[in-house]
């Protein structure tokens, strides 16, 4: 159950697909030199593999627990978090002025993958803290930034996002938590928040809760929500800790997976009011939270990829060790099960989907860096639009695929996979949260359809498709059978995606429910076509390297076969998805509610 | 979390699709009159819903546990098993001469579905006992039948199947347990068996283990395996219990799901030898075990269907109650989430797949009855061949779909689905065993490819396909849009399946690994085409009933919409699967083992 960061593939994707050298040329990204990045990758891989990954399975067996309002986290988490933050890993992508390393998102992304691949439950505290830092950087006053960000980066404190309430689930318009101004610039908050990841724990001396709440005169719905900082312990002007604030953890959830990460129910204001300060302007809280959520959604996509990689590694190791039954083509005795075709098929499916999702996400991270750092405004704007199209796909598709990969991971183990001590089942349980939190796949798909496709008449989607088709044309020149097979599936997939985009744009006004009935299939279609595009680019580059006699020939040959698998087994689902979207709404919507 | 047996759909499938009236005409099936069957269904539904289903979730929270070699099962299981057997439910399909009801498999099948839908963990003791009864009926001596079957039917004792050993997961050729003849007609057994479901428990006074083992001069491999009866307590000539036998439960597994069913490690012969008696002839054990396994495989398929039905009911109930977010088409306030298109899509997917798998399995049960009871030998033989083709599909596809359905069930619940107390997560965990035990999906698929398709040159597959096409032709006459859409997908699916069968037959000798690389996709393709066929038949009958103004119009309209959904969202995957099978082996097999 060890975890080895897939550094070879990470380097390939960073350098060959996501243009790390180009990103390094952008203003503000000068520190991301090849040498620095290599040192970061190597050291992060070592740290995650040696320190964080070994805690994963034991912590699942002995999860965090609640007693008397306090949460004790799993054995080793506290020490590991200190080591993690002391080594500077919380600050990879955050500004140097607050103690971060100020590296581009593209460089932070493999670090995030490694951390999540090592230990999803542990990594969540870092993911949530990243989110809090992002929100404060976006909307905090200078004083708030000075007071809170440095301790969040250094690991003295951690951060949370407090959105969900018992009656409100995914529907933030229904938020009821009240924030009453005290006349001194502070507010008193009253309400209940649920599903608060690391809402209470013992890994840092303070917890900075970022909380959505309504001021007394706020308009109803999403336009009346403000964002507040509510620390567990109040913070004095000199940065030292003051009184215990009136926010208390009344219980934690008993969950299917990610058991080591405490999921808290937080009660604000049961003893007079939890003191908070406003972040940014009143009633603009949701806007700020969305900035934080976009970062978090990308991060959850990376969780899917990290988890998938780990499940793959575990299944591949088992399949190479486990001896059972003869080879179909004949053997003297039983052979390792990796020689049985269906085990091989499952391993290839796990590997191909993980590599495709990784490539798409890293390319997305690079596009985000261009959107943030490029000197030309039009270039920034165009790249931002592409990045925003990709975020729901990276979140939604990478997590959906991680469920399938974790499932295949159990299946490769056979009966042993169903026994908890093997560890494969933990991935299957852990993966299930990823398609739910930070917005379910349906919510990602709504975003993709509404804000990212219909709003601009499909312009961004088609601009991306033009790039996909350009890759297809490059493939046409190759004499390699694998590349030709990939080209055919990529062309068919692009056609399918284009037809679906046109269907969405054409029907969004006249038949909105029919359009949204296909939202999740559309998200999946976009994922496999864009993931397939990256695998096609990868195969093309690999073939060029082989032709030129450069680099690691085994790696390049494996990349081509993996891309071929993706084309024939994953991308080949595109026609079926297109049909379900364009023709499928009658079946989805035809039954009256009382017939369910 | 209640369970209501889907009696309406069960009656429709029994009467309209599986020809219960025709089965009732067969010799030996005379008791299965419409009145009797209705009474059985009603009473079984009541019993399962009121007595068995309420134990399901509490037992997951407080599973069976092992102490000092004994297993205490979950609260209520002992009493429920007594009530179950006293009411005669263990004996529905077993011969009247041993205390059974002697009803056809077609009538027993909905009872099996209800039991599994109510409580998978509980139902396993009945499923395994059924298996033991089948094996004894097939190969036992008259004395063995007399001694063992009646107490197994009455619930005084239960049965187990002892196949797996630590070194020999799915590979029975590797069985090492030894059976040494004692010269008095008995044998002493020595060895370790793992994954023995209900291998130890407190729900009956004795446990009849059926054990695969090797006699001293047995040939190696699968041709040297014999089947033995090894009771937990020896049985005296008068049927009373004798000495405790030397078979002991040394531990039970800590599992992902079906936690209430004890999965035992059994040690045979650590204290001098476990006394057993041979069943049938020496070295023919595997043959007898396969008879038992075929029955058990069908039963596991029914587990998938029962579980899927329950997950669907729970998700639909939640979706109707949970109020969140406005309707996309406009509403004054938040609405029940069943109105959101993607929730509706998931519910329809759960429902459509469950109904299709149910229809296929019940039709299969009817075919099995014809194969067993029809007076004409050629008819028996032809139906047996069709049934044997269907068994791996019913087992493999119904269980694979149950994983997807249980997964969607969690997803419909959103964050609440990830919390164990909601109960949706239990189905997700429980479902994962179904594609593994009684032969993984890959093993079912190997059976489908090798023994059921290639061996007869695809003859049986094509005979079934001819029936599918006949249904397609009947659909062509309908003016209903839904039926035309179904017809198109059924035709495309049939073409895909036919091409795949031809590919399998043509390439099995020349490129066996390429053929088996597509084995599981072939099984899934067969499942969706044959399931889609049954849904098409159902839609056609429903339309005829509507045209004639007969019966429950709401039910028939819902059936047509559900069949339409199946066609456009499930059957539409056929082309992609065909491609993956026919073109996909290069991707599956292209990577050398050291590249994983």
């Amino acid at each position: 159950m060890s975890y080895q960061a897939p550094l070879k593939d990470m380097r390939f994707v960073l350098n060959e697909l996501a243009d790390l050298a180009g990103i390094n040329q952008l203003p503000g990204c000068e520190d991301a030199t090849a040498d620095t990045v290599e040192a970061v990758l190597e050291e992060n891989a070592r740290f995650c593999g040696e320190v964080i990954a070994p805690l994963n399975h034991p912590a699942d067996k002995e999860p965090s627990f609640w007693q008397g309002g306090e949460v004790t986290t799993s054995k080793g988490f506290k020490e590991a978090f200190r080591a993690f933050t002391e080594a500077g890993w919380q600050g990879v992508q955050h500004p140097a002025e607050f103690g971060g390393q100020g590296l581009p998102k593209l460089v932070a992304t493999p670090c995030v993958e490694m951390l999540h691949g090592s230990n999803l439950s542990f990594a969540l505290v870092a993911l949530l803290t990243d989110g809090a830092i992002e929100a404060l950087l976006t909307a905090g006053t200078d004083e708030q930034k000075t007071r809170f960000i440095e301790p969040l980066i250094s690991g003295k404190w951690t951060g949370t996002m407090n959105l969900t309430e018992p009656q409100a689930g995914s529907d933030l318009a229904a938020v009821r938590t009240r924030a009453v101004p005290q006349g001194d610039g502070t507010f008193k908050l009253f309400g209940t928040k649920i599903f608060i990841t690391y809402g209470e724990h013992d890994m840092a001396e303070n917890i900075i809760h970022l909380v959505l709440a309504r001021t007394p005169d706020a308009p109803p719905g999403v336009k009346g929500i403000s964002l507040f900082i509510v620390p567990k312990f109040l913070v004095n002007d000199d940065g030292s800790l003051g009184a215990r604030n009136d926010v208390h953890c009344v219980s934690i959830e008993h969950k299917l997976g990610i058991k080591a990460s405490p999921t808290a129910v937080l009660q604000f204001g049961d003893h007079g009011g939890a003191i908070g300060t406003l972040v940014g302007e009143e009633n603009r809280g949701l806007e700020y939270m969305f900035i934080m959520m976009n970062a978090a959604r990308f991060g959850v996509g990376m969780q899917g990829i990290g988890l998938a990689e780990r499940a793959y590694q575990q299944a591949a190791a088992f399949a190479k060790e486990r001896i059972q039954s003869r080879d179909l083509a004949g053997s003297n005795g039983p052979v390792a099960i990796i020689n049985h075709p269906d085990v091989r098929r499952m391993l290839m499916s796990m590997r191909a989907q993980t590599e495709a999702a990784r490539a798409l996400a890293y390319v997305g991270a690079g596009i985000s860096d261009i959107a943030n750092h490029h000197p030309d405004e039009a270039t920034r704007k165009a790249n931002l639009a592409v990045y925003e199209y990709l975020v729901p796909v990276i979140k939604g598709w990478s997590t959906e695929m991680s469920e399938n990969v974790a499932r295949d991971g159990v299946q490769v183990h056979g009966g042993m996979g169903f026994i908890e001590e093997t560890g494969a089942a933990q991935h299957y349980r852990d993966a299930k949260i990823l398609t739910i939190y930070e917005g379910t796949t349906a919510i990602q798909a709504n975003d993709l359809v509404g804000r990212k496709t219909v709003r601009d008449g499909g312009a961004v989607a088609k601009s991306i498709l033009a790039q996909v088709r350009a890759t297809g044309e490059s493939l046409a020149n190759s004499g390699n059978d694998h590349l030709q097979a990939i080209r055919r599936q990529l062309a068919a997939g692009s056609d399918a995606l284009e037809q679906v985009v046109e269907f969405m744009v054409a029907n969004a006004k006249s038949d909105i429910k029919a359009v949204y009935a296909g939202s999740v299939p559309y998200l999946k279609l976009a994922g496999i076509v864009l993931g397939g595009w990256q695998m096609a680019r990868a195969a093309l580059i690999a073939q060029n390297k082989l032709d030129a006699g450069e680099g690691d020939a085994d790696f390049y040959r494996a990349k081509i076969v993996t891309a071929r698998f993706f084309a024939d087994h994953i991308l080949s689902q595109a026609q079926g998805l297109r049909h379900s979207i364009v023709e499928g709404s009658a079946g989805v919507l035809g039954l009256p509610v009382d017939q369910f």
Side-chain angles (χ1 to χ4, degrees), chain A:
Chain A
M1 279 185 274
S2 67
Y3 168 80
Q4 300 264 353
L7 287 179
K8 268 192 194 178
D9 198 51
M10 288 175 162
R11 287 190 197 102
F12 174 81
V13 174
L14 287 173
N15 294 315
E16 305 296 340
L17 299 179
D19 190 21
L20 176 61
I23 302 295
N24 184 215
Q25 303 299 312
L26 295 172
C29 298
E30 296 86 353
D31 288 351
T33 61
D35 285 354
T36 298
V37 173
E38 184 55 30
V40 166
L41 292 180
E42 294 254 344
E43 186 50 31
N44 196 269
R46 191 199 59 74
F47 178 80
C48 287
E50 291 176 10
V51 179
I52 308 296
L55 302 175
N56 188 48
H57 192 58
D60 180 66
K61 286 189 287 190
E62 298 195 16
S64 53
F65 66 91
W66 180 96
Q67 196 173 26
E70 313 227 311
V71 170
T72 305
T73 52
S74 300
K75 201 177 159 194
F77 271 39
K78 196 170 175 173
E79 297 74 17
F81 186 66
R82 192 177 311 128
F84 171 78
T85 48
E86 279 175 1
W89 296 121
Q90 183 74 58
V92 175
Q93 63 187 311
H94 299 305
E97 61 175 307
F98 300 113
Q101 300 187 40
L103 288 166
K105 188 177 183 78
L106 180 57
V107 180
T109 295
C111 297
V112 170
E113 182 190 329
M114 290 187 246
L115 189 66
H116 288 295
S118 301
N119 193 328
L120 218 53
S121 284
F122 176 86
L124 278 167
V125 74
L127 187 148
L128 272 297
T129 300
D130 276 343
I133 294 167
E134 295 272 355
L136 292 169
L137 285 170
T138 304
T141 61
D142 285 347
E143 198 212 324
Q144 286 170 333
K145 289 182 194 172
T146 307
R147 185 171 294 191
F148 294 106
I149 297 181
E150 189 279 334
L152 287 171
I153 289 178
S154 74
K156 244 174 95 177
W157 304 342
T158 68
T160 70
M161 289 165 66
N162 282 247
L163 287 73
T164 307
E165 300 180 5
Q167 78 293 349
S170 305
D171 181 11
L172 296 176
V175 160
R176 282 188 203 151
T177 296
R178 293 180 301 124
V180 183
Q182 300 300 300
D184 61 353
T186 68
F187 292 75
K188 281 196 172 175
L189 278 83
F190 303 89
T192 305
K193 295 284 183 180
I194 62 168
F195 296 162
I196 309 308
T197 302
Y198 279 98
E200 177 58 37
H201 64 82
D202 58 359
M203 289 157 60
E205 66 174 29
N206 201 7
I207 302 173
I208 309 305
H209 302 293
L210 290 179
V211 185
L212 291 184
R214 290 181 189 283
T215 53
D217 303 324
V222 293
K223 289 180 180 165
I225 297 175
S226 304
L227 180 63
F228 297 88
I229 299 172
V230 183
K232 175 179 169 184
F233 289 96
L234 297 175
V235 179
N236 299 319
D237 286 345
D238 64 356
S240 64
L241 295 192
R244 182 71 166 82
N245 204 354
D246 184 12
V247 45
H248 296 279
C249 174
V250 294
S251 65
I252 64 173
E253 307 291 353
H254 175 53
K255 307 190 300 291
L256 172 62
I258 54 166
K259 292 187 181 193
S261 72
T263 302
V265 177
L266 293 183
Q267 201 68 37
F268 292 82
D270 270 8
H271 308 282
I275 295 169
T277 49
L278 185 68
V279 181
E281 293 174 32
E282 232 171 291
N283 299 331
R284 290 183 61 190
L286 209 66
E287 196 180 310
Y288 309 140
M289 196 56 99
F290 262 109
I291 292 164
M292 187 165 157
M293 276 205 292
N294 256 335
R297 285 175 174 184
F298 182 90
V300 175
M302 294 314 304
Q303 294 195 296
I305 296 163
L307 182 87
E309 172 68 32
R310 186 163 195 176
Y312 165 72
Q313 288 185 15
Q314 187 167 346
F318 181 85
K320 285 193 271 192
E321 279 165 20
R322 174 75 166 174
I323 308 292
Q324 193 171 278
S325 300
R326 286 168 197 249
D327 195 291
L328 271 176
S331 63
N332 287 328
V335 296
I337 63 170
I338 196 170
N339 295 291
H340 301 321
D342 194 64
V343 171
R344 189 70 71 99
R345 184 188 61 79
M346 288 191 280
L347 290 174
M348 285 305 298
S349 181
M350 298 170 81
R351 174 189 180 111
Q353 291 185 82
T354 305
E355 289 188 12
R358 174 182 298 126
L360 184 61
Y362 288 22
V363 166
I367 291 169
S368 165
D369 286 324
I370 299 171
N372 282 320
H373 296 287
H374 199 280
D376 176 50
E377 193 189 332
T379 305
R380 285 202 303 277
K381 211 176 146 189
N383 280 274
L384 183 62
V386 173
Y387 179 66
E388 289 192 334
Y389 182 90
L390 293 180
V391 167
V393 179
I394 291 167
K395 197 282 184 184
W397 179 61
S398 304
T399 59
E400 292 274 334
M401 79 86 194
S402 77
E403 284 184 1
N404 295 332
V405 167
R407 180 270 169 201
D408 278 353
V410 175
Q411 195 71 14
V412 167
H413 286 79
M416 295 304 297
F418 200 67
I419 307 302
E420 286 286 2
E421 67 187 289
T422 309
Q426 183 188 349
H427 305 316
Y428 179 74
R429 291 187 285 98
D430 286 355
K432 191 68 211 75
I433 193 59
L434 303 179
T435 57
I436 295 174
Y437 66 16
E438 295 300 336
T440 62
T441 305
I443 285 175
Q444 307 304 320
N446 284 352
D447 181 43
L448 183 67
V449 172
R451 279 182 291 272
K452 311 296 171 64
T453 302
V454 172
R455 186 181 284 176
D456 74 353
V460 167
K462 287 186 182 175
S463 76
I464 300 170
L465 270 166
Q467 295 182 61
V468 178
R469 292 199 189 278
T471 298
E473 281 162 28
S474 306
L475 288 165
N477 302 321
S478 166
N480 181 306
D481 279 354
H482 289 316
L483 269 60
Q484 290 310 316
I486 293 166
R487 183 187 59 73
R488 287 191 293 274
Q489 292 306 306
L490 188 63
S494 309
D495 291 347
L497 183 55
E498 184 153 354
Q499 287 162 29
V500 164
V501 168
E502 282 167 5
F503 168 82
M504 296 275 162
V505 171
N507 296 286
K509 278 204 179 131
S510 59
D511 198 354
I512 187 167
K513 285 210 166 178
V515 162
Y516 281 84
S519 59
V520 167
Y522 168 39
L523 181 146
K524 289 184 182 171
L525 177 61
I528 66 176
V529 172
L530 300 181
W533 171 36
Q534 297 306 324
M535 291 305 279
R537 291 183 62 212
L540 197 55
I541 291 163
Q543 186 61 48
N544 291 340
K545 297 276 185 189
L546 286 170
D547 290 345
E550 286 172 14
D552 182 344
D554 285 342
F555 176 85
Y556 294 130
R557 277 193 288 265
K559 182 60 86 176
I560 292 170
V561 171
T562 307
R564 171 77 190 265
F565 181 94
F566 192 92
D568 284 336
H569 291 260
I570 310 295
L571 198 39
S572 53
Q573 297 161 13
Q575 297 308 315
L577 288 167
R578 185 202 62 77
H579 180 87
S580 297
I581 298 162
V582 173
E583 305 286 342
S585 68
V588 174
L589 303 170
L591 219 60
V593 168
D594 64 10
Q595 285 294 308
F596 283 90

